[in-house]
Amino acid sequence: MPHLEAVTPPALRPDAWGASNAHCRSRYQILAEAEPDLICRVLNLFAMQYLIPQQVSVMQQEGMLMIEAEVDGMTWHRAQVIGEKMRNLINVCSVTLEPISDLHVLSEPVSLAVG
């Protein structure tokens, strides 16, 4: 029986989805056209990840909704993915995401979409 050659595994990539990654509190600021179901669609993105926002505020002004949500208990990578999903919602004009705890080194907000 022939001997198998030793195969060296490739270098591991960082696991952005790993449960052991540091969690942070994130603030989303969403500007969107006012539609009756938009608030539910935005909050559903958190619910699908079993997350409950600590704080949500919504203000309607001149046909636009300004939504701000603070969510804790997820990695920065997951926060960015949820922000991108928000950006892809119909009627969303812009999404800004920023960390608001000291668990992550980023200090500047990330603009995910500007419409």
Side-chain angles (χ1 to χ4, degrees):
M1 185 179 250
H3 294 321
L4 297 175
E5 294 180 20
V7 177
T8 57
L12 295 176
R13 297 184 309 186
D15 183 10
W17 293 99
S20 62
N21 290 348
H23 290 184
C24 66
R25 178 175 272 199
S26 303
R27 177 182 295 129
Y28 295 86
Q29 295 173 324
I30 302 117
L31 180 63
E33 296 173 13
E35 290 293 326
D37 68 337
L38 184 69
I39 299 167
C40 292
R41 288 188 286 139
V42 167
L43 293 177
N44 188 49
L45 293 172
F46 299 121
M48 289 190 308
Q49 299 293 318
Y50 296 100
L51 296 168
I52 301 172
Q54 274 68 34
Q55 181 177 348
V56 176
S57 65
V58 180
M59 186 169 66
Q60 180 182 358
Q61 187 175 15
E62 299 176 9
M64 299 297 285
L65 287 178
M66 291 167 273
I67 305 169
E68 188 170 296
E70 291 183 11
V71 183
D72 201 4
M74 64 183 156
T75 64
W76 180 245
H77 177 74
R78 186 173 300 262
Q80 288 177 311
V81 169
I82 291 172
E84 286 297 326
K85 289 183 179 198
M86 285 178 188
R87 183 185 70 79
N88 289 326
L89 292 174
I90 294 175
N91 303 108
V92 170
C93 300
S94 68
V95 176
T96 303
L97 171 64
E98 64 182 331
I100 54 174
S101 74
D102 55 28
L103 293 177
H104 197 273
V105 294
L106 258 180
S107 61
E108 296 181 13
V110 176
S111 181
L112 299 172
V114 178

